Structures are given as C-alpha cells and as structure tokens.
C-alpha cells in the first residue's frame, strides 16, 4: 500500500509545483516572445529603409564645408563666433544621417530598442525613422508597457515574499541569539518559583484529579435515564442502529473544501488561475521592511552592475556606470550616456527587469513612510486646532 501511494504523492507534488510556477512562467515567456516579435518587425522595417541623402543632409554638409573653410582661411576670427556657428550647425544634425540602417537595426539592436520601449527607458539614440515604423512603435508600446507592468507586479510579489521571509528569519535568528545569552537569576526568584511549584502540586493532590478513559457508546447510553426506562428489546435495537450509523460515518470519505482540493489536486478546480491572478500585488502590499535596508539593497545592486559594466563599455568608469545604471533602473533615460555595444548589454536585460522591480519596491516603501508622516502631521495639526478652538470658542 505504501509503495502504491508514493507515486501518487510524487505526482501530486509535481502537479502542485507546476501550477505554482506556470502563471509566472506564462507572463515572463509572453514578454520574451513579445520582445522577439518586435525585434523581427523593427529590424525588417527600419533596417531595410532607403538610405538616400536627403536635402537636409546635403545642406548640412555644405554648411559644414563652409564652416571649415572659414576656419582655415580666417584664423584670426573670434573663437566665440565660431563656437556659436558650430553649435547652431551641429544641433541640426540627425543621427540617422550617419548610421547604417543594416548595422543599427540588426536583430540584436532591434531587440535592445524593444526593451527600451516597453521598459519606458527610451535613451533617445535609437528611434524609428520611417512613418510606418513610428506608427508601429506607438502600437507596440501601447500593448508592451502594460505587459511589462504585469511582469513587474508578478516579480514584485516574488521578490517581496523572498525579502519578507528572509527578514523575518533574520529577526527570529536574532531573537534566538539574544535569548540564548546567559541571564543572571536571583536566588529569591528561584525560591519563589520552587514555592509556586510546590503549592500547585499540593493543590492537585488535595483535589485528587483523575483522568479516566473515554466512555464507549454503550456506556454512554446506559448512563442516560431515558434509555434505562425503555424496554430491553427496544434499547438493543436502538443501540444497534446507532452503531451502524457510526460505522457508516467512519466509512464515508471526508469532505474536502475548495482550498484543500486546489492545493492537493489543482486540476480539479477551474478557478485555480483566477485565484493566482487576483492575488497579484498582495505580497508587495504586505511587505514591511526598514527603508534603510531597502536603500542598501538598491545601492549594492547598482554597484555590482557598475563594477561589471566598464569591462564591456571601455568609455565608462565606475562613476559613469553607476550613474547610467541609476538612470536606467529609474526609467529616467536622459540619453547623455549610451551604450556603444548594446549587443553585450542584451544579456544584462534580466538585470534591468529585476532592478526596476527592486527600485519600485524601494519607492513603494518610501511612499508608505511619507504617507505615514503626512498622517502624523495632519493629526498633530488637527489636534492643535481643536485644542485652540476649545480653548477660545468665540475666536475665529
């Protein structure tokens, strides 16, 4: 019997794990498929565009030639005037004039662009040029940004649960360590404790408490006065019927409520996915850890990337990489620092998604602290106002 029940238990465990992981895997895989689909579309549309020299590009090159000619011929010209002319000229320049569409909009480059769209980072150095590409970008962001927020909410619940459990385990360990320290006990306390124990034992001996075995059904029935008054034949028939009813009650399978059925065999409940979806964001709402701890986690997370990123991007040092990661994870995305090798950074996309969620959790905790502070301030002001009104009722 035990050998046959073991495979069933393993099967139930595998089914339970599958349905626990399945919703999270669905959301993450949907985002990955959506990113790959967008990369295919943008690489085909923007990468195959006609790379013709426009009139603006020709005018820019002509002005640039005239500017360089004036600089070589008039060396004594005022430097400030030359800087103003050069600044006005280069502000008219566009990135697509000097970038090869095939190289810029390769599959990996397009995939990096899609990641900057639905994460709302938008560095600005990569953008669609064609009209169809611009319309497609708006439509792509319209569906991609909610999907990204859904994935962030799902990952936020997982990270919040892990962080909350780790913090609680740390507090338990800390309390155990403090409790295990030797405490100095006074002799008077020990004597008092022994005296209380003796007093309790003496009271038990006086009352003579006796624990008896539970009565059987026949003994219970014999103790009932109504049963004693009945005839012996009728009493035996009633006892027999009650025994049969009791046996049938034990033979009936136990009722399993909805939660137990879902946890033991999830495929029996049609609302299993609905229950998982309805609980989105609950773990994040219940998270309560010190804001200083969350700030240290964000700092350490960004510092790790800032230490690794200069190995890929040679034009960055640690400070610039730290600044770039902070601007990216907070979705500010100025575009003043951009990656020269986005193909390498694509392998860092998981870091971006998890980091954005960590920053969101930190902002959520900061928001809760600010709300609590505002409530205290408003309560304090209202109490002061009511006190002043009670003190001077006629004064307005």
């Amino acid at each position: 019997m035990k050998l046959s029940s073991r495979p069933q238990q393993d099967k139930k465990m595998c089914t339970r794990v599958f349905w626990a992981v399945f919703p999270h895997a669905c959301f993450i895989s949907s985002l990955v498929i959506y990113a790959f689909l967008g990369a295919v579309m943008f690489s085909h549309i923007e990468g195959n565009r006609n790379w013709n020299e426009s009139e603006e590009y020709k005018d820019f090159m002509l002005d640039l030639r005239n500017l360089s000619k004036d600089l070589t011929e008039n060396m004594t010209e005022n430097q400030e005037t030359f800087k103003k002319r050069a600044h006005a000229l280069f502000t008219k320049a566009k990135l697509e004039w000097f970038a090869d569409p095939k190289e810029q909009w390769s599959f990996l480059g397009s995939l990096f662009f899609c990641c900057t769209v639905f994460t709302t980072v938008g560095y600005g150095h990569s953008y669609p040029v064609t009209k169809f590409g611009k319309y497609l970008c708006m439509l792509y962001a319209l569906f991609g940004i909610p999907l990204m927020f859904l994935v962030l909410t799902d990952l936020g619940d997982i990270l919040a649960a892990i962080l909350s459990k780790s913090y609680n385990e740390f507090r338990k360990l800390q309390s155990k360590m403090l409790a295990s320290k030797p405490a100095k006990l006074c002799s008077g306390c020990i004597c008092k404790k022994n005296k209380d124990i003796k007093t309790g034992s003496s009271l038990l001996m006086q009352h003579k408490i006796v624990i008896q075995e539970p009565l059987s059904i026949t003994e219970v029935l014999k103790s009932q006065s109504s049963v004693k008054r009945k005839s012996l034949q009728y009493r035996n028939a009633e006892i027999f019927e009650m025994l049969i009813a009791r046996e049938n009650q034990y033979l009936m399978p136990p009722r399993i409520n909805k939660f137990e059925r879902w946890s033991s065999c999830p495929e029996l409940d049609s609302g299993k996915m609905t229950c998982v979806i309805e609980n989105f964001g609950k773990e994040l709402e219940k998270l309560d850890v010190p804001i200083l701890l969350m700030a240290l986690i964000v700092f350490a997370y960004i510092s790790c990337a800032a230490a690794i990123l200069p190995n890929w991007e040679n034009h960055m040092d640690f400070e610039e990489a730290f600044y770039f990661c902070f601007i990216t994870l907070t979705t500010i995305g100025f575009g003043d620092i951009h990656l020269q090798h986005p193909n390498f950074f694509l392998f860092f996309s998981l870091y971006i998604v998890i980091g954005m969620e960590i920053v969101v959790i930190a902002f959520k905790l900061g928001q809760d602290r600010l709300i609590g502070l505002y409530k205290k301030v408003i309560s304090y002001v209202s109490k002061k106002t009511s006190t002043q009104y009670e003190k001077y009722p006629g004064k307005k």
Side-chain angles (χ1 to χ4, degrees):
M1 187 68 182
K2 292 182 179 180
L3 294 176
S4 61
S5 62
R6 183 58 183 271
Q8 294 179 357
Q9 292 178 358
D10 294 341
K11 185 178 180 181
K12 288 182 179 180
M13 181 62 68
C14 294
T15 308
R16 193 180 306 168
V17 172
F18 172 77
W19 285 111
V21 177
F22 180 72
H24 311 291
C26 281
F27 295 129
I28 295 174
S29 60
S30 300
L31 184 64
V32 172
I33 293 172
Y34 193 75
F36 276 89
L37 182 63
V40 172
M41 292 188 297
F42 283 107
S43 63
H44 178 72
I45 295 172
E46 295 294 331
N48 295 327
R49 75 173 188 265
N50 295 326
W51 195 27
N52 297 327
E53 295 181 356
S54 61
E55 293 296 329
E56 289 181 324
Y57 175 73
K58 293 178 180 179
D59 294 339
F60 173 79
M61 295 303 295
L62 181 61
D63 294 339
L64 182 61
R65 187 181 64 180
N66 295 332
L67 181 63
S68 60
K69 184 179 179 181
D70 294 340
L71 180 64
T72 54
E73 291 179 355
N74 302 321
M75 297 298 293
T76 58
E77 186 177 2
N78 190 4
Q79 294 293 330
E80 293 295 329
T81 305
F82 174 75
K83 287 181 180 180
K84 291 180 180 180
R85 290 179 58 188
H87 182 267
L89 179 61
F90 285 112
T91 51
K92 299 178 182 178
K94 295 182 180 180
L95 182 63
E96 63 264 22
W97 293 347
F98 311 100
D100 186 5
K102 291 287 185 182
E103 181 180 354
Q104 183 183 5
W105 293 96
S106 61
F107 179 78
L108 293 179
S110 301
L111 186 61
F112 179 73
F113 167 76
C114 292
C115 293
T116 60
V117 170
F118 56 68
T119 56
T120 67
V121 176
Y123 294 115
H125 65 279
S126 181
Y127 51 87
V129 177
T130 62
K131 288 185 178 180
F132 186 70
K134 292 178 180 179
Y135 294 147
L136 181 63
C137 181
M138 290 187 288
L139 186 64
Y140 186 80
L142 190 63
F143 292 96
I145 293 174
L147 180 60
M148 181 65 192
F149 286 165
L150 187 63
V151 173
L152 288 178
T153 305
D154 186 31
L155 290 178
D157 284 341
I158 297 174
L159 292 176
I162 294 173
L163 185 61
S164 179
K165 187 174 182 180
S166 301
Y167 181 71
N168 291 332
E169 291 295 330
F170 174 75
R171 293 297 300 271
K172 289 180 182 178
L173 181 62
Q174 187 181 13
S175 61
K176 286 181 180 179
M177 291 176 63
L178 293 175
S180 63
K181 291 182 178 181
K184 295 181 179 180
L185 298 175
C186 62
S187 59
C189 294
I190 297 174
C191 295
K192 185 178 179 181
K193 185 175 181 181
N194 293 332
K195 186 177 179 181
D196 293 339
I197 293 172
K198 290 180 180 179
T199 306
S201 61
S202 62
L203 288 173
L204 288 174
M205 291 297 293
Q206 290 176 3
H207 289 285
K208 296 181 180 180
I209 297 174
V210 180
I211 301 175
Q212 296 180 352
E213 294 292 331
L215 299 176
S216 62
I217 187 169
T218 56
E219 294 174 348
V220 173
L221 291 173
K222 286 180 182 179
S223 63
Q224 301 294 327
S225 59
S226 60
V227 177
K228 290 180 180 178
R229 288 194 297 267
K230 294 179 182 178
S231 62
L232 181 62
Q233 183 179 2
Y234 182 77
R235 196 189 333 166
N236 292 336
E238 187 178 1
I239 292 173
F240 181 75
E241 289 177 358
M242 295 183 71
L243 289 173
I244 293 297
R246 185 178 179 183
E247 291 294 330
N248 292 334
Q249 184 179 2
Y250 279 109
L251 291 175
M252 288 176 60
R255 290 185 178 181
I256 303 175
N257 56 23
K258 187 176 180 181
F259 177 76
E260 292 175 348
R261 183 170 66 251
W262 178 85
S263 60
S264 61
C265 190
E267 62 271 9
L268 297 178
D269 193 0
S270 60
K272 51 191 175 298
M273 289 295 294
T274 307
C275 181
V276 175
I277 294 174
E278 287 178 353
N279 290 329
F280 271 8
K282 297 297 178 64
E283 292 292 335
L284 185 59
E285 291 293 332
K286 294 187 295 184
L287 181 64
D288 187 15
V289 297
I291 188 66
L292 182 60
L293 175 63
M294 204 65 218
L296 290 175
I297 292 175
V298 173
F299 179 79
Y301 194 82
I302 296 177
S303 298
C304 291
I308 297 173
L309 196 57
N311 296 325
W312 294 347
E313 302 290 331
N314 297 325
H315 67 285
M316 289 186 184
D317 55 5
F318 178 81
E319 294 180 357
E320 290 184 350
F322 190 93
Y323 169 78
F324 173 78
C325 292
F326 181 83
I327 294 299
T328 300
L329 297 183
T330 53
T331 68
I332 296 174
F334 289 124
D336 52 343
I337 300 177
H338 58 86
L339 301 173
Q340 295 180 356
H341 305 89
N343 298 343
F344 295 109
F345 199 73
L346 284 174
F347 299 103
F348 228 47
S349 58
L350 183 62
Y351 167 84
I352 297 177
V353 175
I354 297 176
M356 287 176 62
E357 186 52 47
I358 292 175
V359 172
V360 167
I361 292 174
F363 287 164
K364 174 67 170 57
L365 291 174
Q367 179 184 356
D368 293 340
R369 300 302 187 274
L370 286 176
I371 291 174
L373 180 61
Y374 285 144
K375 286 181 179 179
K376 290 181 180 179
V377 171
I378 293 173
S379 177
Y380 177 78
V381 172
S382 62
K383 286 181 180 179
K384 284 292 183 182
T385 306
S386 61
T387 304
Q388 290 293 115
Y389 181 77
E390 291 175 358
K391 199 170 184 180
Y392 306 101
K395 189 177 180 180
K396 294 185 179 179

